[in-house]
Amino acid sequence: MKRLFFVFAHLLLLAAMVLSFFAAFPRPYRDIVGESGLDGALVYAVMKAESNFREDSESDAGAVGIMQLLPSTAAFVCEREGISFDAARLTEGEYNVTLGCAYLGYLMEEFEEETALAAYNAGEGRVREWLKDGRYSSDGRTLFHIPYPETARYLKKISFFRKIYGFFPY
């Protein structure tokens, strides 16, 4: 009887750990992420790193929502994609994720992946400046040094979260 209890207790513990994992690494807005054409693990890693999936998240710089878009960036994406821009909707999950995926897709077209992610965090203009600077790029396409510690940490977080999302697909 003690052995059965021991096994049952361990199964409950394992179940709790699995449920905790899925709570810590959710996958909301699957349809939008799937339709984006981007790697889902990457998109979820961005959401996790940017806001930890909080729709009402706002940065000190004024970036808003799950994917932390500046209103000016969201307006650019809307114009590019033919979507009606409404700054008040940036805290709506579906709207924000749709625009965030479109912006990330745009950056992935403009830059190689790691550089695109640096641009998502630090801004496209800054990254273009870094690419012109021999202290940060030797070929004008890739960055061998990120001058912003925050952006360097961001890239490491994205890499970590992406591995987790890629390792446990569901």
Side-chain angles (χ1 to χ4, degrees):
M1 189 67 161
K2 282 184 178 179
R3 186 169 174 86
L4 183 60
F5 176 78
F6 182 77
V7 169
F8 183 70
H10 278 85
L11 286 174
L12 280 176
L13 181 61
L14 180 61
M17 290 170 55
V18 168
L19 289 174
S20 294
F21 169 81
F22 288 120
F25 293 92
R27 293 178 189 234
Y29 312 105
R30 288 181 192 212
D31 291 343
I32 296 168
V33 172
E35 292 169 7
S36 73
L38 299 167
D39 173 33
L42 176 63
V43 175
Y44 287 118
V46 169
M47 289 184 206
K48 177 89 173 153
E50 289 290 344
S51 70
N52 201 24
F53 301 96
R54 286 188 41 232
E55 290 182 352
D56 64 346
S57 182
E58 186 169 345
S59 75
D60 292 338
V64 180
I66 290 175
M67 294 192 74
Q68 289 291 278
L69 297 169
L70 290 169
S72 59
T73 301
F76 164 77
V77 170
C78 285
E79 184 176 320
R80 186 174 190 275
E81 300 292 321
I83 299 170
S84 178
F85 174 66
D86 183 353
R89 292 186 61 207
L90 287 175
T91 56
E92 292 177 16
E94 289 184 8
Y95 186 72
N96 188 281
V97 171
T98 297
L99 299 182
C101 285
Y103 184 56
L104 184 57
Y106 160 77
L107 292 173
M108 297 287 272
E109 291 170 6
E110 293 291 308
F111 305 107
E112 62 133 56
E113 186 173 291
E114 189 170 294
T115 307
L117 292 168
Y120 196 96
N121 178 260
E124 181 182 359
R126 278 192 193 97
V127 167
R128 289 194 186 281
E129 290 298 315
W130 295 345
L131 289 170
K132 293 177 190 173
D133 190 326
R135 294 175 296 170
Y136 312 125
S137 176
S138 59
D139 61 5
R141 295 186 35 76
T142 57
L143 296 166
F144 63 79
H145 177 68
I146 308 285
Y148 284 11
E150 176 190 336
T151 301
R153 285 190 303 273
Y154 175 81
L155 293 175
K156 288 178 183 172
K157 273 202 292 191
I158 294 293
S159 177
F160 176 74
F161 292 150
R162 186 182 192 181
K163 285 177 186 166
I164 291 171
Y165 276 107
F167 190 72
F168 292 105
Y170 62 96

